[in-house]
Amino acid sequence: MKTIASWLSVTFLGLVLGGCSAVGAGSGGAGETEIRSGKIEQITLTQMQTNHDSGVGAILGGIGGLALGSLVGQGTGRDVAMVAGALAGGVGGNYIEKKKYDQPVDAQQIVVRTHSGVLVQVTQPINPALAKGMNVYVEGTGNEARVVPQS
């Protein structure tokens, strides 16, 4: 029975750690970044959701639950308590991490008209150096796009 509990613990830990891997993280090497230039047409204050789903809360909660479960009983009951404690701790740790760190942050939605006439909208953390009518660069694409002032 200890072998089954050991395999369940190893499997659970593997699943939790596998959930921490980045999906679509790219090649990791130096790459090209698209830079467009234009003029800010509109700035609107808004909020954006952060993304702090690192999985650390689930891992620490799972380890804590596993440790507490190992203190309960002996034999098969202890093995079941360890697995249940690890699962409950993982869920609880993930919940606490999201509640504490996934709070919306103030942001600005910026509309830039590029020199080619295309409108580009970017939502990013507030940059007080930006103002309507300012010449700017739009660096990057997708979720990684940022508006920065031209020097």
Side-chain angles (χ1 to χ4, degrees), residues 10-63:
V10 169
T11 302
F12 173 73
L13 186 60
L15 289 173
V16 169
L17 292 176
C20 296
S21 65
V23 177
S27 64
E32 297 177 1
T33 301
E34 180 180 355
I35 298 177
R36 296 163 282 183
S37 60
K39 187 175 282 198
I40 295 178
E41 290 211 350
Q42 178 182 342
I43 298 178
T44 307
L45 293 179
T46 186
Q47 288 189 330
M48 61 189 235
Q49 190 68 28
T50 59
N51 187 12
H52 287 285
D53 295 330
S54 64
V56 172
I59 292 171
L60 292 178
I63 292 171

Side-chain angles (χ1 to χ4, degrees), residues 37-41 111-115 132-136:
S37 60
K39 187 175 282 198
I40 295 178
E41 290 211 350
V111 177
V112 176
R113 182 172 300 277
T114 64
H115 293 304
K132 185 176 178 181
M134 178 181 273
N135 289 322
V136 294

Side-chain angles (χ1 to χ4, degrees), residues 3-124:
T3 305
I4 293 173
S6 297
W7 279 107
L8 285 175
S9 298
V10 169
T11 302
F12 173 73
L13 186 60
L15 289 173
V16 169
L17 292 176
C20 296
S21 65
V23 177
S27 64
E32 297 177 1
T33 301
E34 180 180 355
I35 298 177
R36 296 163 282 183
S37 60
K39 187 175 282 198
I40 295 178
E41 290 211 350
Q42 178 182 342
I43 298 178
T44 307
L45 293 179
T46 186
Q47 288 189 330
M48 61 189 235
Q49 190 68 28
T50 59
N51 187 12
H52 287 285
D53 295 330
S54 64
V56 172
I59 292 171
L60 292 178
I63 292 171
L66 183 69
L68 287 175
S70 71
L71 300 175
V72 175
Q74 55 186 319
T76 305
R78 179 179 179 198
D79 296 340
V80 171
M82 289 172 60
V83 171
L87 291 173
V91 170
N94 190 45
Y95 174 78
I96 290 170
E97 179 185 13
K98 284 185 177 184
K99 185 133 178 104
K100 182 168 175 74
Y101 294 107
D102 269 358
Q103 301 300 318
V105 295
D106 291 333
Q108 54 190 178
Q109 185 178 47
I110 306 165
V111 177
V112 176
R113 182 172 300 277
T114 64
H115 293 304
S116 64
V118 175
L119 287 175
V120 177
Q121 181 268 317
V122 175
T123 302
Q124 68 183 31

